[in-house]
Amino acid sequence: MKGNKGNKQKYIERDRIRSGLLALFPNLESYRHFFEDNREGIQPFIDLALEQGIIEKPEGFENFINENACHPEECKPPEGFTFSNLMEDREKINASGRGLTISVNELVERYHLQGILPAGKVNNAMFSRLKQGPANTRNKRNVLRLLSFWLGYKRPHLGRPWNYETLLKTCPEEQALDSREGTRIAIALYSRKDVIEEKAVKWLKNEIRSCLEDLGLTGQANRLQAYSTTWFYLDLPKERSVTSELSHPRSYNRGMKEAVSIAHQVALRWALSSHSSPRKTLSIGIAAGEFSTMDDYLQSIIKARLPGECVIRMTDYSHLCVQINNIRVIFHETPAVAEMPAGEIITIWSVKGLWNTNFWDFIPALLNDRMLQADSRFDEEFKEVIRLSGNRTESAPGQGKGVIETLLRDPRNSLLGLEIAKTLYFRGRLLEANEILRIVLSTDPSNHIARALRMSIFTDLGINADTYSVSSIRFSRADEEADFIKEVYKPSAEDFFCEAAVSKLGQAITILRLIRREGGRYETGLTELDERDVYRLLDHAQKLFEMGMTVSSTGGQSRYFLMCLMSFKKILKSDPDILKDPEKKILDIQDFCRETAVEIYSALGWLRDDLPEPNRKYTLEKRISDADRSYKDSVLLRASVPSAKYSSATMLWDFSTVLNAGIARDVIGMLREAAELAEKLKNEELSMLSFIRFHKEIMTPDRFIDYTMETIREVEQRVGKTGELESMDASSPLDLEKLGGLKLFCLHI
């Protein structure tokens, strides 16, 4: 019996290797191209075929390929299918970037195929580059070849069409950049009866290049050009449409995000520079469309005289691109108008603020400022500067102008004020951040972002208060911030409603923890709390999340929390003991999460009964994948990225309509990535945004990593470690009974 079992395993292995080789060499043309790229690298593949008995002698390798050749018509991906789609396709890849890298390298090492790569192995960056551009180098093509071998070996059920030639076609022209259209950002210095020195212009040019490097856009530096001595511009070509030549606002998504990131960095760096003065004006214009028609529009919006702090301006079409792609920007409600030289009247949208507290990355100068560090050495100095006591009007020798002093010289610069508050917030200095927000709101009471950050601060302080009486006061302050904006200014940004909702959610979870410890009811003085208070707050949060979905073009953030919240309410109502017993684990034994997912996906039209099963499944998975990618792509703040990765893992584990070995492997890989990303924040003494305990809070990286590793252990106890999952077919369903109702979103409540 053992011998038969061993022989069977040997035949299975031979068939997998045969499938892998034919995926790598679908025809003789592929073989010849391989030989042109790797004259020395073909031998290990021939040796592998010989060892497995696939061919009898080396000369038979070409015959083997030719006899099993794929017709060129079979070597085509589905229309519109890109390499990014492939990497997110759970049927084909079903692994995180890190998990895929590990799996491919294990296969490469096992069969000694390292020779065709300079470093002997693949890495995550190699796959990322194939998402962004054509496979136009030998190394890129070799990474595709090893991936195609991996696909044939690991996913033989996909069939012959998923081979090297098919993968090659997911990369080149479909992902090529369109040199005719894209996003242009223009940055200009103007004088108000003052001379613009050459050193200021030189500083600006160098700082733009520094921004590009810090934002990971080093390759764009060569595109930086000058209109004049004080005016620079940068073209960010859009991705050519994979389905048509028609332009669509979504095709400008990446370019617009990059342009806004650059504008955010340059505007604040200029405000902090020694060259900045009231007599010199920085103006930044962003336009999208055909490059050949942009100059007149950009000159008009940059030269337009606008009231207040309107550094960043956009054309009407750029504004549309921002709105459709849900790029986290807030505009002044009423656009300005200007007349172009030819007499055309154009609309100018000026930026009032960016949701920098969750989505846009830090400003290096602020991270390095001595009074914005995580320790409290400068607390007294901070208080003295804020009080404007008069005892300190100049910076200490050798220190230069501090960022807080810069803000106090011009408190109307709300972008700078919010960035300072954000830096203090992520350094764990919540009370100091609140002081800065007081200054911002004194000059701009309607600032949604400042109000939302205040909500987060009071909610966080309330969650971590020593007594509920103190928590209650802080929660009331958070509510007042939300009510002020809702009643007076009628907000229309999804992020505001999400911030208000997660504040209510944090309050509900705080009361839930309290009554669980007290047997279901908490009483002290005039305060009486029970499950009704929990449900009241959860219902309020649900209404706010629903409003967030209503006002958003994508609704991704609101939809995720809405699914968690609706499921959580069902779990609580199904087991009343959860509200009374602190030892009772919060488990979804009846699988309410998947039930809720199906309800919401059906309501949104993502899960369609009118489609045949293969298309139905593909349509659903693509919509989920696109929504997840859209949200993750919008999170550029390094202190938010680990939590976004953890939330993606939660979405997969808790709400996939079918759970299989591939998804479990992917979830574990994503959780490990989240922990690795959190580890990097420790070097900068940054805390991080976390939803790991369901509600929003600021958390140290060490604590986040501890929670994440505990999550990994809980998952592995139920499904096995990554190595065991690798040995299983990716589509093998998991035993739901063994999972025991484990849901990641409520594991650490």
Side-chain angles (χ1 to χ4, degrees), residues 19-26 30 34 45 145-146 148-149 163-164:
S19 175
L21 290 171
L22 290 175
L24 172 56
F25 302 112
S30 302
F34 181 99
F45 296 95
R145 286 173 174 125
L146 292 176
S148 63
F149 179 78
N163 55 54
Y164 169 71

Side-chain angles (χ1 to χ4, degrees), residues 591-748:
D591 213 8
F592 290 121
C593 284
R594 255 170 285 286
E595 175 186 281
T596 303
V598 169
E599 290 170 353
I600 289 182
Y601 293 148
S602 298
L604 294 174
W606 292 14
L607 191 59
R608 296 178 52 179
D609 293 331
D610 59 325
L611 294 176
E613 183 50 44
N615 291 351
R616 188 170 181 249
K617 180 173 179 285
Y618 176 76
T619 300
L620 175 61
E621 290 188 351
K622 189 174 189 310
R623 293 300 296 268
I624 295 170
S625 174
D626 287 349
D628 183 56
R629 184 177 69 249
S630 174
Y631 178 72
K632 284 192 295 187
D633 286 350
S634 70
V635 180
L636 304 177
L637 177 63
R638 71 193 77 164
S640 295
V641 173
S643 184
K645 183 70 71 174
Y646 190 99
S647 295
S648 293
T650 300
M651 191 74 189
L652 265 184
W653 179 269
D654 292 355
F655 297 105
S656 290
T657 52
V658 176
L659 262 183
N660 56 38
I663 289 176
R665 190 171 60 224
D666 204 18
V667 165
I668 293 170
M670 293 167 82
L671 292 171
R672 292 195 187 282
E673 282 184 66
E676 290 168 5
L677 290 165
E679 183 71 33
K680 294 178 182 179
L681 296 174
K682 292 161 68 173
N683 296 331
E684 297 178 286
E685 295 187 313
L686 286 167
S687 293
M688 53 177 290
L689 200 63
S690 171
F691 295 100
I692 206 165
R693 298 201 302 160
F694 193 10
H695 56 74
K696 177 183 177 180
E697 62 187 323
I698 285 294
M699 187 176 283
T700 64
D702 280 332
R703 192 176 176 208
F704 180 87
I705 292 167
D706 287 345
Y707 276 128
T708 303
M709 299 313 293
E710 183 183 341
T711 303
I712 292 171
R713 287 192 292 272
E714 290 284 346
V715 173
E716 288 183 336
Q717 281 175 13
R718 290 161 171 81
V719 301
K721 297 187 181 295
T722 304
E724 298 171 60
L725 292 167
E726 281 285 355
S727 66
M728 298 170 62
D729 188 286
S731 59
S732 300
L734 299 178
D735 186 339
L736 294 181
E737 285 191 19
K738 287 185 178 179
L739 302 184
L742 174 71
K743 299 300 173 187
L744 306 192
F745 83 85
C746 56
L747 174 62
H748 301 291

Side-chain angles (χ1 to χ4, degrees), residues 370-383 424 427-429 432 685:
R370 72 192 195 288
M371 279 205 287
L372 305 186
Q373 300 307 304
D375 58 52
S376 56
R377 283 179 297 161
F378 297 102
D379 274 0
E380 288 305 313
E381 187 177 356
F382 178 93
K383 292 173 186 175
L424 287 165
R427 285 267 159 82
R429 297 175 65 187
E432 288 82 359
E685 295 187 313

Side-chain angles (χ1 to χ4, degrees), residues 16 47 104 148 182 259 408 550 581 680-681:
R16 282 174 171 259
D47 291 344
V104 171
S148 63
L408 292 174
T550 301
D581 183 0
K680 294 178 182 179
L681 296 174

Side-chain angles (χ1 to χ4, degrees), residues 460-603:
D460 210 299
L461 291 170
I463 289 167
N464 294 293
D466 293 332
T467 64
Y468 184 74
S469 57
V470 174
S471 293
S472 178
I473 295 170
R474 289 170 171 171
F475 289 152
S476 293
R477 289 298 308 275
D479 291 344
E480 286 158 11
E481 296 293 338
D483 291 343
F484 180 81
I485 287 291
K486 282 190 294 181
E487 292 172 12
V488 179
Y489 293 101
K490 311 298 181 190
S492 59
E494 178 195 10
D495 297 286
F496 176 82
F497 287 105
C498 279
E499 291 297 326
V502 294
S503 175
K504 290 293 183 186
L505 183 57
Q507 296 175 39
I509 299 301
T510 300
I511 294 174
L512 174 65
R513 292 183 184 125
L514 189 58
I515 66 173
R516 269 163 66 86
R517 288 197 300 266
E518 300 293 327
R521 185 177 182 83
Y522 174 79
E523 293 184 42
T524 178
L526 299 175
T527 303
E528 295 182 11
L529 300 170
D530 58 27
E531 65 182 67
R532 290 172 295 179
D533 297 283
V534 175
Y535 286 121
R536 173 179 54 81
L537 288 163
L538 291 178
D539 289 342
H540 196 160
Q542 182 172 331
K543 289 295 293 181
L544 288 165
F545 284 130
E546 288 168 350
M547 184 60 73
M549 283 187 68
T550 301
V551 301
S552 171
S553 60
T554 58
Q557 192 177 6
S558 305
R559 184 177 54 255
Y560 166 76
F561 278 110
L562 194 58
M563 291 171 72
C564 292
L565 185 52
M566 290 172 66
S567 304
F568 186 59
K569 286 163 66 176
K570 291 177 182 178
I571 293 169
L572 291 182
K573 288 180 178 178
S574 71
D575 189 352
D577 288 343
I578 292 173
L579 293 152
K580 302 173 184 176
D581 183 0
E583 301 301 318
K584 181 88 174 177
K585 289 186 177 181
I586 303 176
L587 299 171
D588 182 16
I589 303 298
Q590 298 182 49
D591 213 8
F592 290 121
C593 284
R594 255 170 285 286
E595 175 186 281
T596 303
V598 169
E599 290 170 353
I600 289 182
Y601 293 148
S602 298

